[in-house]
Amino acid sequence: MTHPARQLLPTLEEISSGSEFPRRPAGFTHGLCLDPRMELESIAALAERLPESVVCDTAAQALLVPRGGPPKGVLERPGDVIRNLSTNNSWLTVLNVEDDPAYAEMMDTALDQVQLGMRKREGEMRERAAFILTSSPSSVTPVHFDIEHSLLMQVSGSKRVTIGRFESEAAHRHEVDRYFDGSHGRIESMPPELVSFDLEPGTGVYIPALVPHWVHNDPDVSISITLTYFTDASLRDSRIEDLNSRLRRLHLDPRPPGRSVVADTAKTIAIGALRIGGQLRSGIAQARARRGVDGGTERTNAT
Ligand SMILES: [Fe+2]
């Protein structure tokens, strides 16, 4: 199944008012393809301003990739990689472009539209971040999932984003545990397909947290941007998952978040105390650090 024609898609503001948001993936339209900050040369200049935030690898990737990705910040001339994407068989991602004031403004303008509709049901957005994804023709993003909610917005070129599903709650739990134990969202086996979205400039897809997905780019240079965020609830759950991973290392068998209010409350209090004592970094800080090692999950390639 593919998503409806562009003229039937909601706007960024409208998706957050939809009855299935934020549980289901959804296509939408956006205007970032008209923004000069998303032109190839602007992104090349941005990469040169933020060289420590750049990850880059070859465009041809298998769908199942067990290892982590390349290190970040090692390219001497990241702007030139972007300028030559039509011939160099590469993908290059600029992480956390919100570190640049102009791109922070662009991210906030878009995410504020989503927050208008979601605040009533989901609370405040937390830990906003933005990632610009550029790739050579026909690049592939391996199957993975992210712990943040993601808005993947196509700016130039086109791609098919396929959303999968876990075959059982046990399979879901297995992969979430693996994420927090260090898999970074790399999935062990291909999940069944649920729906696919054919993105073109001006369209995007909302991908809920913890939902597997993978991407095939068409035979053109692709430019897209992913905006990510947590909610109060997803941030709390991620911190509990992170604590649970630490408990598993002590050979304990902790309950996943959402199974026990008492256990979740006790863990949230413990996490707060440990963080105050400097003994526990937040799960979110860890997720950001992981991006530094392998480009993260969303940021490993082109979603
Ligand atoms: Fe992703």
Side-chain angles (χ1 to χ4, degrees), residues 32-302:
L32 287 186
C33 49
L34 304 175
D35 193 308
R37 289 168 287 194
M38 292 305 298
E39 293 174 0
L40 196 73
E41 182 52 40
S42 299
I43 298 168
L46 173 69
E48 287 166 353
R49 293 199 297 278
L50 301 176
E52 299 297 318
S53 301
V54 168
V55 291
C56 181
D57 205 346
T58 55
Q61 299 275 320
L63 277 176
L64 284 174
V65 180
R67 64 173 176 80
K72 71 173 183 174
V74 298
L75 288 181
E76 287 192 10
R77 301 178 64 87
D80 285 350
V81 174
I82 293 173
R83 294 182 186 99
N84 295 317
L85 281 169
S86 61
T87 56
N88 61 14
N89 192 34
S90 299
W91 63 260
L92 185 150
T93 296
V94 188
L95 308 168
N96 295 107
V97 300
E98 74 279 5
D99 289 343
D100 184 283
Y103 287 85
E105 192 275 336
M106 186 173 74
M107 173 189 78
D108 284 332
T109 298
L111 287 181
D112 284 349
Q113 296 174 54
V114 180
Q115 180 157 276
L116 279 175
M118 70 167 252
R119 185 183 277 133
K120 285 175 286 195
R121 291 181 292 180
E122 295 293 313
E124 296 295 319
M125 279 183 180
R126 305 289 181 193
E127 305 287 340
R128 293 179 174 192
F131 309 88
I132 292 180
L133 320 147
T134 65
S135 58
S136 294
S138 305
S139 70
V140 172
T141 299
V143 58
H144 68 281
F145 65 88
D146 309 289
I147 60 172
E148 308 96 330
H149 302 288
S150 301
L151 295 156
L152 169 59
M153 304 155 82
Q154 193 68 17
V155 171
S156 180
S158 55
K159 63 179 54 160
R160 170 163 285 197
V161 181
T162 305
I163 310 290
R165 61 177 175 81
F166 291 114
E167 291 190 270
S168 65
E169 177 52 33
H172 174 239
R173 174 46 42 195
H174 174 71
E175 289 293 353
V176 173
D177 285 353
R178 285 185 68 245
Y179 181 103
F180 285 90
D181 292 346
S183 76
H184 310 167
R186 302 286 196 179
I187 292 175
E188 288 182 313
S189 59
M190 286 302 296
E193 292 186 21
L194 182 66
V195 62
S196 60
F197 294 81
D198 291 324
L199 301 190
E200 59 186 47
T203 67
V205 57
Y206 162 71
I207 305 172
L210 308 178
V211 169
H213 53 279
W214 57 98
V215 178
H216 290 93
N217 280 279
D218 289 342
D220 295 304
V221 169
S222 171
I223 299 174
S224 57
I225 181 168
T226 295
L227 309 181
T228 71
Y229 59 90
F230 291 84
T231 63
D232 288 334
S234 70
L235 192 57
R236 184 206 62 164
D237 286 355
S238 291
R239 287 174 172 157
I240 291 174
E241 298 280 13
D242 193 47
L243 180 64
N244 284 353
S245 173
R246 291 161 189 272
L247 295 174
R248 283 193 292 277
R249 273 179 255 155
L250 299 174
H251 306 292
L252 299 172
D253 185 22
R255 256 185 265 194
R259 302 268 179 91
S260 163
V261 174
V262 173
D264 288 353
T265 303
K267 286 174 182 171
T268 300
I269 293 169
I271 290 164
L274 288 167
R275 292 177 70 202
I276 289 170
Q279 298 170 52
L280 183 69
R281 300 170 66 203
S282 76
I284 310 315
Q286 296 221 356
R288 285 177 178 266
R290 285 171 189 142
R291 286 173 197 148
V293 173
D294 73 353
T297 52
E298 189 75 12
R299 273 57 59 187
T300 50
N301 195 320

